[in-house]
Amino acid sequence: MRKKIVAGNWKMNTTLPEGLQLAKEVNEALAARTPKCGVIICVPFTHLAPIANEINAEKLGLGAENCADHRSGAYTGEVSAPMVASTGAQYVILGHSERRQYYGETSETLKEKVALALENNLTPIFCIGEVLEEREAGKHFEVVKAQIEEALFNLSAEDFSKLILAYEPVWAIGTGKTATDDQAQEIHAYIRGVIADKYGKEVAENTSILYGGSCKPSNAKALFAKPDVDGGLIGGASLKCADFMGIVDAWN
Ligand code: PGA
């Protein structure tokens, strides 16, 4: 059975003291619950090690929001997968649309990042999703298929099985405009089919596919009720403990 997951993506928010406070709140809220899903927070690089020291890793996973496409060396300002892993983090978001859009990330660089993440025992949370014009032109299926094929289909079935995917329609991210639960189900089922065609039904059935884009306590339950939606990647609503927990509790 594939894992149900709610993962926060803090993006470039919170100072270190603010982030530590938020992580402690989430950690305490989870200590008082038995969540029916895995819970992860993905935080800025600067916050990883201090947060790793404060949280119960049994109940709360920790991830970075990116990593470099090189192992080490003269790449000023970059943070490598081994560095992320050395903080105690277990996950890394890769291919987020904001990285693709603002920092020119391509399938070629993402391929390197995925390989380095896996080599360092980090679980990639790999993001895919179409922009509004592509959705309106009915091209969303081919866009996500190409994103998966180009960056991930070089992996062995064993390595592919280690990934978490996140479908995030770019037009729904931070806009308050969520995909409907039917739209999410339609494309999640399609993505699972694409995986099945390449790696077989068993791998596809075991891959967690999260939905991201204006997911909040009020719409999480309907989204998560869909058979191919295995949880959420949560931006804005992960910055308030009560909202984030409201989404975690949507699995109850
Ligand atoms: P949002 O962001 O929940 O604020 O729309 C989701 C994401 O970008 O991962």
Side-chain angles (χ1 to χ4, degrees):
M1 260 285 276
R2 54 184 179 263
K3 285 195 196 108
K4 312 296 182 198
I5 296 162
V6 171
N9 172 13
W10 290 5
K11 309 194 179 184
M12 198 174 73
N13 292 298
T14 73
T15 61
L16 180 54
E18 289 164 355
L20 260 178
Q21 178 60 31
L22 177 57
K24 282 185 200 170
E25 281 175 38
V26 172
N27 191 55
E28 277 166 32
L30 287 173
R33 279 174 171 74
T34 310
K36 297 226 166 62
C37 62
V39 185
I40 302 165
I41 49 175
C42 297
V43 307
F45 291 129
T46 44
H47 299 21
L48 286 169
I51 287 180
N53 287 329
E54 291 291 339
I55 62 175
N56 175 3
E58 305 266 298
K59 279 198 131 174
L60 181 57
L62 180 65
E65 301 171 14
N66 180 31
C67 72
D69 57 343
H70 296 278
R71 213 171 261 109
S72 66
Y75 302 100
T76 302
E78 288 294 290
V79 176
S80 70
M83 291 173 188
V84 169
S86 71
T87 66
Q90 311 94 19
Y91 299 89
V92 59
I93 296 174
L94 292 176
H96 191 279
S97 64
E98 287 150 17
R99 301 290 322 167
R100 294 177 190 260
Q101 193 180 342
Y102 306 138
Y103 301 96
E105 290 199 358
T106 63
S107 295
E108 280 312 300
T109 51
L110 288 170
K111 222 191 262 182
E112 301 301 324
K113 292 183 183 205
V114 169
L116 287 164
L118 291 173
E119 193 180 290
N120 288 281
N121 296 317
L122 294 170
T123 299
I125 301 175
F126 191 86
C127 303
I128 52 178
E130 81 285 355
V131 300
L132 185 61
E133 302 81 75
E134 291 163 341
R135 165 70 60 167
E136 283 173 348
K139 290 192 172 147
H140 42 298
F141 295 113
E142 62 188 88
V143 167
V144 297
K145 185 176 187 202
Q147 288 171 335
I148 297 170
E149 278 177 351
E150 289 168 15
L152 302 177
F153 275 5
N154 60 313
L155 296 173
S156 66
E158 191 190 339
D159 278 344
F160 189 91
S161 305
K162 296 173 185 162
L163 306 178
I164 298 167
L165 293 191
Y167 167 70
E168 301 201 303
V170 179
W171 45 272
I173 295 177
T175 58
K177 196 169 181 256
T178 324
T180 65
D181 37 316
D182 286 334
Q183 281 175 323
Q185 169 56 26
E186 181 186 38
I187 196 151
H188 280 227
Y190 172 79
I191 292 164
R192 204 175 300 288
V194 168
I195 300 167
D197 287 345
K198 169 77 179 174
Y199 293 108
K201 204 164 174 346
E202 195 183 330
V203 170
E205 285 301 321
N206 284 316
T207 302
S208 298
I209 308 175
L210 314 184
Y211 168 80
S214 300
C215 185
K216 41 192 180 252
S218 59
N219 59 25
K221 215 173 175 77
L223 285 160
F224 298 171
K226 293 294 175 186
D228 286 291
V229 178
D230 304 312
L233 181 58
I234 318 299
S238 70
L239 293 170
K240 283 210 182 96
C241 182
D243 289 347
F244 192 52
M245 284 305 124
I247 297 171
V248 169
D249 291 342
W251 277 115
N252 293 350

